[in-house]
Amino acid sequence: MQTKDYRINEHKKLTICHKNFINLYHYLGTARTLNEKEVFTLENSEGHLLGIAVFGLPASYGSMNKYGKDSLELRRFCLKNSEKNLGSWFLSRCLKVLKNKKIYRGIISYSDLEEGHIGTLYKATNFIYLGIEVNVNNKMFQLKGKRVGIRQAYNKNKQGNYYKSSVVIKNSKRVEVKPKERFFYPLNINKLDLEKLVKEYKDETILNSASY
């Protein structure tokens, strides 16, 4: 790839155009409730949108407590095409910008084993592997051919009204899914705290494996 053919722009909020792109190219197909703090777009030399990286508040309070309130989660990352090394190049540039801000402790991210994702992108950009998620609700709902969590289980009718999740759940099938793999990219965290974090998660993973 020729890096001169691409440019990266930084945004504070997602636009309608960005959300439509995520809806189209991200496997979850939704850009709702991302609590974005930092947004980066990848464009070609003609200004066409090719990719988006959304960093936001962690999706769960548990993650905030474990990683620190000044950590972000990579909430969405998607590309329009799969040119070799483009994804890792784009993500590494985003991480560099965030590190230079000196206000974020690190980046949390997950690979979805249910979708066949094994963290290739995170390994290529030097994320630290923290093992499999434990003590999480791995129950999802099969709704109109898609897997959704309880917070996503909303149905939009033609008038644009939303039904409560409990109503939708009655008409969907509950399924069990594989836990996700955890990754962490240190930005501005001291060495001792990082070592403590990694050890805590490794011990947690070993303990969880031994319980089966």
Side-chain angles (χ1 to χ4, degrees):
M1 58 171 284
Q2 297 291 324
T3 57
K4 63 180 178 61
D5 295 333
Y6 303 98
R7 66 169 180 258
I8 297 172
N9 294 317
E10 188 177 355
H11 312 266
K12 277 297 180 184
K13 287 290 182 181
L14 287 166
T15 66
I16 296 298
C17 176
H18 297 158
K19 292 180 179 180
N20 289 340
F21 185 93
I22 293 170
N23 292 339
L24 184 60
Y25 292 106
H26 194 273
Y27 76 96
L28 289 178
T30 176
R32 292 182 59 219
T33 61
L34 296 182
N35 294 317
E36 69 269 18
K37 299 288 285 185
E38 305 281 354
V39 178
F40 297 88
T41 55
L42 176 68
E43 299 176 359
N44 63 15
S45 57
E46 297 177 345
H48 295 151
L49 184 59
L50 299 179
I52 290 182
V54 182
F55 299 85
L57 298 177
S60 70
Y61 289 110
S63 292
M64 283 189 187
N65 292 332
K66 287 184 177 181
Y67 294 100
K69 293 181 180 180
D70 50 354
S71 289
L72 297 178
E73 182 177 326
L74 179 55
R75 302 296 302 272
R76 292 291 185 273
F77 185 89
C78 53
L79 298 173
K80 187 175 182 178
N81 60 54
S82 55
E83 182 179 351
K84 187 177 180 179
N85 299 326
L86 182 59
S88 58
W89 177 81
F90 176 34
L91 180 55
S92 66
R93 296 307 183 277
C94 297
L95 295 172
K96 184 177 181 180
V97 172
L98 294 177
K99 183 177 180 64
N100 289 337
K101 288 177 181 285
K102 300 187 183 302
I103 58 174
Y104 299 119
R105 191 169 187 247
I107 304 298
I108 313 155
S109 198
Y110 302 88
S111 61
D112 193 341
L113 296 175
E114 193 70 27
E115 294 290 330
H117 301 164
I118 58 174
T120 302
L121 176 66
Y122 308 132
K123 295 169 187 175
T125 47
N126 297 317
F127 274 72
I128 298 171
Y129 177 64
L130 295 180
I132 300 291
E133 275 188 305
V134 297
N135 300 323
V136 295
N137 182 3
N138 62 339
K139 302 292 186 181
M140 303 284 283
F141 296 90
Q142 194 73 24
L143 182 64
K144 296 182 179 180
K146 294 181 64 176
R147 290 186 298 110
V148 297
I150 190 168
R151 287 182 298 177
Q152 292 176 284
Y154 289 88
N155 186 29
K156 190 175 182 180
N157 64 17
K158 293 181 180 179
Q159 287 74 40
N161 298 318
Y162 286 95
Y163 295 105
K164 290 184 178 180
S165 58
S166 58
V167 176
V168 179
I169 289 169
K170 289 180 181 178
N171 300 313
S172 60
K173 179 182 177 182
R174 194 161 189 172
V175 294
E176 187 168 327
V177 297
K178 297 176 183 177
K180 296 178 180 178
E181 291 187 311
R182 304 173 295 198
F183 293 85
F184 183 76
Y185 188 89
L187 294 176
N188 297 285
I189 177 175
N190 66 59
K191 185 178 180 180
L192 288 178
D193 285 344
L194 179 59
E195 289 175 350
K196 181 180 177 182
L197 178 70
V198 172
K199 184 180 184 303
E200 176 185 344
Y201 275 94
K202 284 186 176 179
D203 291 346
E204 184 182 71
T205 301
I206 292 171
L207 180 63
N208 184 66
S209 299
S211 65
Y212 286 96

